[in-house]
Amino acid sequence: MSLPEMAAALGDLAVLCEERGLLADAEAHSRRALDLRENSLPDGHPDVIVALESLARILYARGLLRLCRAPLQTRPGLARLCSASTMST
């Protein structure tokens, strides 16, 4: 299995966990998928952006708004996704 395939599988597993309310597990799988994508794809690649959004959504669902913003704001060009107009408490 290639790194992109493994990242996709982990991302899918994160979604399944999220849908079942297993948010801590979803976060762990999402973080691993993001890590694999960031290490195997160039900055700004759409799959990296999707993985970041997925992690932010899970963190938001867990009530961790401060942590939700950090993964996006630390990436160039993605801070706008965390503006007050798109993500409020």
Side-chain angles (χ1 to χ4, degrees):
M1 180 178 280
S2 70
L3 288 179
E5 290 171 333
M6 189 177 296
L10 285 165
D12 291 344
L13 186 55
V15 169
L16 290 173
C17 289
E18 181 183 10
E19 289 172 352
R20 286 165 178 69
L22 304 170
L23 298 179
D25 292 334
E27 180 185 344
H29 297 309
S30 184
R31 285 184 183 279
R32 182 69 177 126
L34 174 59
D35 183 55
L36 289 173
R37 286 184 169 132
E38 285 184 319
N39 289 311
S40 63
L41 298 169
D43 288 342
H45 190 281
D47 288 349
V48 174
I49 294 169
V50 168
L52 283 165
E53 187 276 332
S54 178
L55 176 58
R57 186 183 64 247
I58 291 165
L59 291 170
Y60 184 81
R62 294 190 71 195
L64 303 172
L65 183 59
R66 184 179 65 240
L67 295 177
C68 157
R69 290 180 176 170
L72 296 174
Q73 290 177 330
T74 59
R75 272 68 174 196
L78 296 178
R80 72 184 190 294
L81 296 177
C82 283
S83 68
S85 64
T86 60
M87 204 174 277
S88 60
T89 55

